[in-house]
Amino acid sequence: MSKQPRKQRNDDASAALHERHAKVRATLSDSLREEYGQRNVRVNEGDTVEVLRGDFAGESGEVIDVDLSNTTVRVEDVTVEAADGEEVPRPIDASNLRVTDLTLEDDLRQERLESEEDSA
């Protein structure tokens, strides 16, 4: 990997879709970290997260959208007012979030979390 910021930005911008999944990972809360033996996890729609940085630090809410093309996450109740007065969800970088509750409706996700726990 290059040290040059220009090349790093270009690599991020031209990353394939499967590589972008790694860019929407967030840290787990202490209780989940202990339960699953992992430090972070990919953020999925339906997870409950806490905002750690920025204007909305301390806010908690459910993830309503994960945008892989911009590698951002939209959280319920974290909104800004658009020019026309409408409230729209503010995109947040996943590194500024902490997952406090996981949605385990996806069997594959649950299996992966539990297999990581066994190997730790």
Side-chain angles (χ1 to χ4, degrees):
M1 176 172 218
S2 175
K3 291 182 181 180
Q4 295 179 5
R6 168 180 47 97
K7 288 186 179 179
Q8 290 181 11
R9 283 191 301 269
N10 285 334
D11 285 348
D12 285 346
S14 63
L17 186 62
H18 71 279
E19 294 170 341
R20 290 175 186 264
H21 286 278
K23 299 190 186 307
V24 289
R25 294 181 70 88
T27 61
L28 285 169
S29 64
D30 291 336
S31 60
L32 290 174
R33 193 178 287 193
E34 194 173 302
E35 182 179 346
Y36 293 109
Q38 285 184 233
R39 186 178 178 85
N40 57 38
V41 69
R42 185 199 185 281
V43 179
N44 279 4
E45 194 173 314
D47 289 348
T48 304
V49 296
E50 175 189 359
V51 180
L52 300 176
R53 301 252 184 241
D55 296 337
F56 295 97
E59 296 276 329
S60 288
E62 188 175 314
V63 175
I64 55 175
D65 180 46
V66 178
D67 184 4
L68 290 177
S69 63
N70 295 321
T71 61
T72 58
V73 177
R74 289 181 178 79
V75 180
E76 193 174 57
D77 299 331
V78 177
T79 59
V80 291
E81 190 173 322
D84 63 358
E86 183 183 359
E87 291 286 321
V88 294
R90 184 174 193 277
I92 301 173
D93 193 79
S95 66
N96 296 328
L97 301 173
R98 176 188 296 137
V99 178
T100 56
D101 189 34
L102 295 167
T103 184
L104 296 173
E105 294 171 2
D106 183 13
D107 294 334
L108 183 60
R109 185 181 198 201
Q110 188 168 1
E111 187 180 310
R112 281 183 183 154
L113 284 169
E114 290 170 356
S115 69
E116 295 280 335
E117 177 185 351
D118 295 335
S119 64

